[in-house]
Amino acid sequence: MNTGPIFAASSFEALEYDALGCRRCSLAETRKQVVFGSGDRHADLVFVGEGPGAEEDKTGVPFVGRAGQLLTTLIEGIGLSREEVYIANVVKCRPPGNRDPLAIEIETCWPFLDGQLGFIDPVVIVTLGNFATKLLLDTKVGITKLRGSEYPGAEGVIIIPTLHPSAVLRTGGAHLANVRSDFVLMKRALERARLARGAS
Ligand code: URA
């Protein structure tokens, strides 16, 4: 197992192989499985969540619990399937008891997410909740202030922050309406980016 610095992976597969054996932070001691990510490695649209929960830790697949079911429904609501997008997390191992990931864990795991985004090279990244949003927009501003708009990221990518599906499950109502409107925003951003690509 690799406990050294993350090498500059030569391929997506090499990056995944490195992640699956990672013991760089203490989450390795309590996880059942590394949850690297799932979906299309050439997707235009990538979702980034916080970290695996109990179901994900058991199955090795991101967003398969209750929050995952809501995310799947929302993705299907804009005419896509989970197989057509890519789904990843800020940290690849479950924080015990579903506690928030620590800053050191996020920092240690960042090269894996950075590598995934580099290889996939999406046109739209959707950040689900505060942890992914703060990391990818490099901000301390909270998700409720940021959602509802799109933001430019590196190399022309569009970043769209929205509420985490777990927060929607906890609070429902208005939050679900907000998330639905963010999904419409991402659908339009995708269509725009695809048209621009076709025109160039
Ligand atoms: N919540 C997350 O942020 N990620 C998952 O994979 C599951 C639940």
Side-chain angles (χ1 to χ4, degrees):
M1 282 195 185
N2 193 336
T3 51
I6 292 167
F7 63 97
S10 56
S11 67
F12 195 89
E13 289 71 24
L15 185 73
E16 181 165 10
Y17 181 82
D18 190 33
L20 296 183
C22 181
R23 305 204 63 84
R24 292 176 181 88
C25 85
S26 60
L27 294 182
E29 268 135 54
T30 48
R31 73 170 182 234
K32 289 196 177 79
Q33 297 194 56
V34 174
V35 182
F36 184 66
S38 74
D40 179 2
R41 295 166 183 198
H42 305 285
D44 285 341
L45 176 59
V46 172
F47 290 87
V48 181
E50 182 179 317
E55 281 303 307
E56 292 77 20
D57 189 41
K58 225 188 282 170
T59 57
V61 182
F63 281 101
V64 289
R66 279 186 68 228
Q69 284 161 24
L70 175 58
L71 178 62
T72 304
T73 304
L74 290 162
I75 291 170
E76 290 171 355
I78 57 165
L80 294 170
S81 67
R82 279 179 68 112
E83 291 70 36
E84 290 173 283
V85 304
Y86 194 84
I87 304 175
N89 279 307
V90 166
V91 293
K92 311 300 187 209
C93 298
R94 182 188 184 209
N98 292 351
R99 66 156 167 76
D100 288 347
L102 306 176
I104 183 69
E105 294 160 354
I106 294 172
E107 192 186 320
T108 307
C109 215
W110 163 244
F112 289 123
L113 179 59
D114 190 30
Q116 285 173 307
L117 296 174
F119 283 117
I120 298 170
D121 193 21
V123 292
V124 176
I125 299 172
V126 176
T127 54
L128 301 165
N130 264 318
F131 284 93
T133 302
K134 288 181 174 173
L135 182 66
L136 289 173
L137 287 181
D138 191 20
T139 180
K140 290 190 166 45
V141 180
I143 184 64
T144 47
K145 285 220 170 77
L146 291 170
R147 64 143 296 277
S149 301
E150 47 182 75
Y151 301 84
E155 298 183 31
V157 73
I158 298 163
I159 301 179
I160 300 183
T162 193
L163 299 161
H164 194 285
S166 302
V168 178
L169 286 175
R170 275 196 304 273
T171 50
H175 278 154
L176 184 57
N178 285 337
V179 171
R180 285 218 170 99
S181 94
D182 294 340
F183 270 68
V184 172
L185 198 66
M186 73 188 71
K187 188 178 181 187
R188 292 202 186 122
L190 258 185
E191 286 165 357
R192 235 181 24 245
R194 283 174 174 160
L195 272 179
R197 192 185 281 173
S200 63

